[in-house]
Amino acid sequence: MSNPRTLYEKIWDDHVVERRDDGTCLIYIDRHIIHEVTTPQAFEGLRATGRKLRRPDMTLAVPDHNVPTTTRIKDGKLLPIDDPESATQVATLKANCAAFGVEHIEMTAPEQGIVHVVGPEQGFTLPGTTVVCGDSHTATHGAFGALAFGIGTSEVEHVFATQTLLLKQSKPMEVRVEGSLGFSVAPKDVALAIIGEIGAAGGTGFVIEYTGSTMRDMSIEGRMTVCNMAIEGGARSGLVAPDDKTLAYFMGRPRAPKGAEWEMAAAYWRTLPSDPGATYARSVFIDATKIAPLVTWGTSPEDVAPITGVVPSPADFAEPSKQAAVEKALAYMGLTPGQRLEDVEVQDIFIGSCTNSRIEDLRAAAAVLKGRKLASNIRQALVVPGSGLVKLMAEDEGLDRIFIEAGFEWREPGCSACLGMNPDKVPSGERCASTSNRNFVGRQGPGARTHLVSPAMAAAAAVTGRLTDVRQLIG
Amino acid sequence: MDAFKTLTGTAIPFGQRNVDTDVIIPAEYLKSISRSGLGRGAFKTIRFNADGSENPEAIFNQPQYKGAPILIAGDNFGCGSSREHAAWALADLGVKAIIAPSYSDIFSGNAFKNGLLAVVLPQDAVDRLLEVATEAEITIDLENQVVTTPFQDRFSFEIDPFRKHCLMNGLDEIGITLQMGDNIAAYEATQKATKPWLSGKAGIERQG
Ligand code: SF4
């Protein structure tokens, strides 16, 4: 018998093309998802060196980062993208895909959406595969037991040319989450609670495997939210072992295996979960029963507190460098120590991003908004579905009506205000309750102040005009 | 790529921790389709005021640090997004090496691939270098893996031997990997036999 191995180690071992003396491995990449922002320079590199794209069939392109989320087709005609640079990037992606034989999902196709929503939805992402994309939230695909991580443009070019990457194996880390989540506590709160516990750099050098009853009981969408934010805890990848729910998710997806190949694949996927007795280099335990709806108050995702709490003071932190960081963060965020988080007024609401733009997220927000209206101080409230297919499903369920009646704008899919590369930005000095994954300085636009929350919490803030404990609105 | 052997020069005593890639290069600069010219957006929120004027207080704008080849930063430098523009922007700014207690994994990979040396030193060594940088040049000797100052400071650092080899010889990583083309083809053949569902419609056949 071989040694007991973790899920991560199994996937790793199955993808080693060559192991060097120094421990660096040439790792085969099964799935490469590309978008318009991090690829032009990689295609430029291929051209400059006269290299070919090795596996176009393992590459899928979809524009998402800077596509407009306003109406795209009017009177049967595609509207041009206003921003000339965005238009150039989107057009460049399309032209490059045509030149190198890569399948490209058009901006107007119903399948278009955020890379990390589209990949699994299309059955392109599969359990046990290595998945890369030039976006750090590629960790999202780990929810299916895929080893997925973000890469930079040089690596995109390396995968284009060789379908491999040179990597050092990370150490496996276990984050075990046990217990039932309280009323209105969402997977997003689990994700934030974990980062609050381990810190924004706590997972650096590790690949996290999320285990425990909370993760097993969690929906596929919820697992995606948790894995999505692995990178915010410093880990390049987060994983959840594939189980019956995972298999049920892929059954019948357009690019998933069919017939005999499905049986073969499913049998393989069932061998992937960590062996009993496999060891992790680090283990962290999270008691899910103690997690409350959370909100960030600072400019790092580790700056997190229960909504019932108050803004901390720099003095609450032991480390001098963290004290200084907190002081700066509070100045940027316009918050004072001791201020009740529930008293913090917001002007903008963003429901979207690859963290929380799937159907379950939209349902959770709509459940809070049903029969309610935006507070008068809300200047802009956006719902941006993760893909065209999510949007259609939501419209079938009538969720769009609920959002629109509440006063939200129902938009076309894309990254939108998650990073403000398209016109969807939070104006300087304004405060946004956002379901995205980053509250960095300027992330949602220069001077924008971001509070990361779950979809239900974003909806609650929309109704009251301030950060709000969703449990007081519904129950 | 330029070979990196020894570098002596001014170091910017920046020192901030958790500097994310949005600070290094804001998202608005990600719209380029080429690699050069990004230095103008590097550390924009620090270097410039809201009205677009230069902030003379910012360390990057102080005349003695303009164009300096070394940047000293704090813990977890380059956290955040995977944008390689961060490395291109630093290179375009003239930075050739960074010294910090730690980096995000993605950033250190991107730095290396663009010929930027990311030196890891413990916080106390970094603190000392931050002090020295205000009055003297710093030397990074990659071959001997040591950072020295004119005041007899000597801090050894670790670096992955492969990265060191590539940096010292200015080698292109893709070219090195392509030399292993046979191994990659052999892996693909096995994969096709054991996991046929992984090939797309056109599969390996199309590649001939
Ligand atoms: S939604 Fe945000 S985090 Fe997700 S892929 Fe788009 S930009 Fe990246």
Side-chain angles (χ1 to χ4, degrees), chain B residues 53-139:
Chain B
S53 61
E54 220 179 73
N55 172 6
E57 305 279 289
I59 191 131
F60 296 95
N61 293 336
Q62 294 172 18
Q64 70 269 39
Y65 299 123
K66 279 204 171 165
I70 303 172
L71 176 69
I72 309 178
D75 212 12
N76 201 22
F77 185 78
C79 60
S81 91
S82 62
R83 63 186 66 154
E84 193 161 338
H85 305 65
W88 299 332
L90 288 172
D92 204 52
L93 201 61
V95 172
K96 296 192 164 52
I98 311 155
I99 301 174
S102 72
Y103 304 86
S104 84
D105 292 347
I106 297 182
F107 176 80
S108 66
N110 285 340
F112 157 68
K113 291 184 177 71
N114 287 282
L116 284 178
L117 173 62
V119 176
V120 178
L121 284 177
Q123 185 70 53
D124 51 350
V126 171
D127 288 343
R128 168 66 188 153
L129 293 174
L130 284 168
E131 232 174 79
V132 172
T134 59
E135 42 187 311
E137 294 193 330
I138 284 172
T139 298

Side-chain angles (χ1 to χ4, degrees), chain A residues 14 18 20 28 30-31 41 54-57 83 86 89 152-154 157-158 168 205 321 421 438, chain B residues 17 30-32 34-35 80-81 84 105 113 160 162 172 177 180 183 187-188 191 198 200 204 207:
Chain A
D14 275 0
E18 193 178 278
R20 300 198 171 168
Y28 199 80
D30 300 321
R31 294 291 182 257
Q41 290 89 350
R54 188 175 180 94
R55 294 297 298 266
D57 64 307
D83 178 315
S86 296
Q89 280 197 335
T153 299
S154 288
E157 188 180 334
H158 196 279
K168 268 245 158 74
S321 61
M421 275 192 84
R438 290 205 165 133
Chain B
R17 73 193 284 273
L30 305 190
K31 294 188 174 180
S32 72
S34 171
R35 297 181 193 217
S81 91
E84 193 161 338
D105 292 347
K113 291 184 177 71
D160 173 90
F162 174 72
D172 163 2
T177 302
M180 292 189 273
N183 301 31
Y187 179 92
E188 284 173 335
Q191 185 194 55
L198 287 178
I204 296 169
Q207 295 292 307

Side-chain angles (χ1 to χ4, degrees), chain A residues 35 64-65 114-117 133-138 140 228 231-232 350 352-357 414-421 436-438 443, chain B residues 81 83:
Chain A
H35 60 84
D64 61 355
H65 275 59
I114 305 171
V115 272
H116 310 311
V117 177
C133 174
D135 180 282
S136 53
H137 293 92
T138 307
T140 315
N228 175 273
I231 185 74
E232 305 313 330
F350 174 58
S353 89
C354 56
T355 315
N356 284 125
S357 64
C415 294
S416 181
C418 172
L419 85 168
M421 275 192 84
S436 56
N437 42 44
R438 290 205 165 133
R443 170 77 174 181
Chain B
S81 91
R83 63 186 66 154

Side-chain angles (χ1 to χ4, degrees), chain A residues 380-443:
Chain A
Q380 173 169 270
L382 298 181
V383 200
V384 185
S387 73
L389 296 179
V390 169
K391 181 169 185 254
L392 287 175
M393 202 189 305
E395 287 170 355
D396 269 358
E397 294 180 18
L399 303 184
D400 58 326
R401 299 304 331 153
I402 298 176
F403 284 112
I404 292 165
E405 274 157 28
F408 272 80
E409 294 175 47
W410 181 247
R411 295 292 189 93
E412 298 294 326
C415 294
S416 181
C418 172
L419 85 168
M421 275 192 84
N422 75 347
D424 309 341
K425 292 185 193 9
V426 175
S428 184
E430 285 195 11
R431 198 180 286 290
C432 180
S434 174
T435 67
S436 56
N437 42 44
R438 290 205 165 133
N439 52 351
F440 296 165
V441 169
R443 170 77 174 181

